[in-house]
Amino acid sequence: MKRRMAAVCFSTTMLALGAGHATAQDANRNVTIVLAETVDVVEPCMAARQDVGRVISENVNEMLVEFDYVNGGLKPRLATEWSQVDADTWEFKLRPGVKWHDGKDFTAKDVQFTIERNKNPKFSCEVGGKYFGGTEFSFESPDAHTIRITTKPAQPILPLLMTVMPVESAEATPADEFTRNPVGTGAYVFDKWEVGQSIVLKRNPNYWGEQPGVEQATYLFRSDSAVAAAMVEAGEADIVPSVALQDATNKETDFAYPNSETTSLRIDTREAPLDDRRIREAMNLAIDRQAMLGTLFPEQAQIATQLVVPTTIGYNADIPVWPYDPEKARKLVEEAKADGVPVDKVVRIIGRNGQYPNATEAMEAIMAMLQEVGLNVKLDMYDVSVWNNYFVSPYVADSGPTLTQSQHDNATGDPVFTAFVKYASTGAHSMVRDPAVDALIEKATTATGDERTKLWKELFAKVNAEIIADIPMFHMVGFTRVSPRLDFKPTIATNSELQLSQIKFK
C-alpha cells in the first residue's frame, strides 16, 4: 500500500511615492504581502488559527506530506514515502540530507517531538487540538530517517492528517512554550518580527529543494481592505490574499477563487436561553442569508447548511437550507418565554475583527435580525488574541450565553478535520456535550470507504438538524489582489496558506 504522491484616498504625493517604490521593486525579487489581521503569534503549532498559516506553513516549517490543492491527492515533502504497516500503524520514510535552518540534521526525533508537543496539555496548540484531539500516539524509529506512528484509535488517513502539522526542531524549539523565532527546514528563514507591524522572511540558501524566485517576503498588517487593495495599485505591495468584494474592482489584478472556508456562529448550547432548541431554531430562521449575498458577502458564496463544503466526503445534501422566516422565529421565542425560558437574558455575539472582509458589518446585521424576533442580543468585537479565549477551550469563565463568530477551513476533503474539534465533548472548539455524537465521531474516524461517508452524513444531520449546534452562514468565495509584475493565481488554499515558492515574476 505504498504511496508516492508526488476605499481610502491616497494623496498625489503618496501615489507618486508608491509609483517610485514599484519601479524599485521591479529591479529585485522581494515581495510585500498585506494581511488583514495582525499576527500575534509565530508559533508553527498555531498555524491553523489565523494568518500565521500564510506566513509560516510550508515557507518556514514544512509538513511531512503536502496536499496538492490543484490536482488533489498527496505528494512528498519531508517524507518521501509512506506505507500502512497494520490497521493502527503507518511508516514514514524521511527525506535524507535535510537541514534545519541552524544547520542541524532533520531526523525522526523531530517528528516525534512535534507530535508530542502538539499534544502537550501545558499549552493549547491549535493544530494539535484541532486535528489530533482524541488521538493517542506512540512511536518507533528503526533508524534516523524512518518513523512508525501508531494511533489509538486507528487513523486510516494518517498521511492526510500529516499535511496540516508543521514539523519543528526538537533541539531549537522550546517544549513547553510558544517560540518567537521558529526554526524550520523550509525555503525561507524567519528573519525579523516587529510585533504589530511586520514580519520578514528571507530565502534559505541551503534549502534541500529547488530554490524559489522570491528572495525576501515582507508581511504587513492592514485591517482596512480598501487600504490594502490601494497599496497594490500604488505599487507599495504585491499581494493582498483577502480583499472585500467591494474592493475587488480591477479585473487585471483581482482574482476570485472558491476557498475552503465556511462562516458560521457557534452556539453555546450549554447556557440558557441557548440551551433551548426552540431558541436555536429561531435564531437560524431570523437571519436573511439571501439578502447578505452581494452586499456583505460575495454574490458567488453559497448558503451553508453544515461546516464542511460540498466536495467533502460525508457532506449531507439532504440537510435543507434554513428559510428566512422571522414570523415563525418570533413564535418560537414567545413559546419558549411562556415556558419560562429566560429569553430576555443578554446573548453576546463574540466577533473577531478582520476575520473575513465585512466581518464587523455582518455581525451588526445579524445582531439586528436577532433583536427583531425578540432576543436580547449585543455585539462585542475583539482582536484575535481576545476572541481566541472565547473560541478555544478552556473558555472565558462566566461569559454568559454566547454566539461566537467563526470561519472554519477544511480544504483536504475529509470531516476528520472538522468533526472532533467542533462537536466532540472534549473538542477544543466544541460546546456540544452529547454521548451519541461522541460515539458517531469515534466510529466514523476509524471507518473507511462507503461506511465512513455514511457515518459522517449521520453526524452532520444530527448536529445541524437535530441538535442545531451552529448558525451556518456561507461557503465562502475569496478575492485576491495581485501586482501585475507577478505571475500568481490563488488556489483553494490561499485563504489559509500561501507558499512563496508558488510566486513567479513576469
Side-chain angles (χ1 to χ4, degrees), residues 1-72:
M1 230 177 108
K2 190 174 287 186
R3 304 178 186 175
R4 299 177 182 267
M5 303 177 213
V8 164
C9 240
F10 282 89
S11 69
T12 304
T13 301
M14 289 182 71
L15 287 171
L17 287 172
H21 180 74
T23 302
Q25 276 201 340
D26 286 342
N28 60 43
R29 298 287 177 168
N30 298 346
V31 298
T32 298
I33 299 168
V34 185
L35 304 179
E37 286 187 291
T38 299
V39 173
D40 66 329
V41 295
V42 293
E43 164 59 53
C45 84
M46 298 298 286
R49 191 180 80 168
Q50 58 156 171
D51 283 331
V52 66
R54 290 196 182 103
V55 178
I56 299 294
S57 293
E58 305 288 11
N59 292 316
V60 178
N61 293 80
E62 302 176 283
M63 280 61 159
L64 280 185
V65 183
E66 183 177 354
F67 186 81
D68 189 339
Y69 292 102
V70 176
N71 302 308

Side-chain angles (χ1 to χ4, degrees), residues 103-123:
K104 303 292 178 57
D105 290 334
F106 161 68
T107 67
K109 72 176 182 180
D110 299 304
V111 179
Q112 179 173 341
F113 166 81
T114 298
I115 296 175
E116 290 176 339
R117 186 171 180 274
N118 270 264
K119 297 285 292 179
N120 188 339
K122 293 183 180 179
F123 58 95

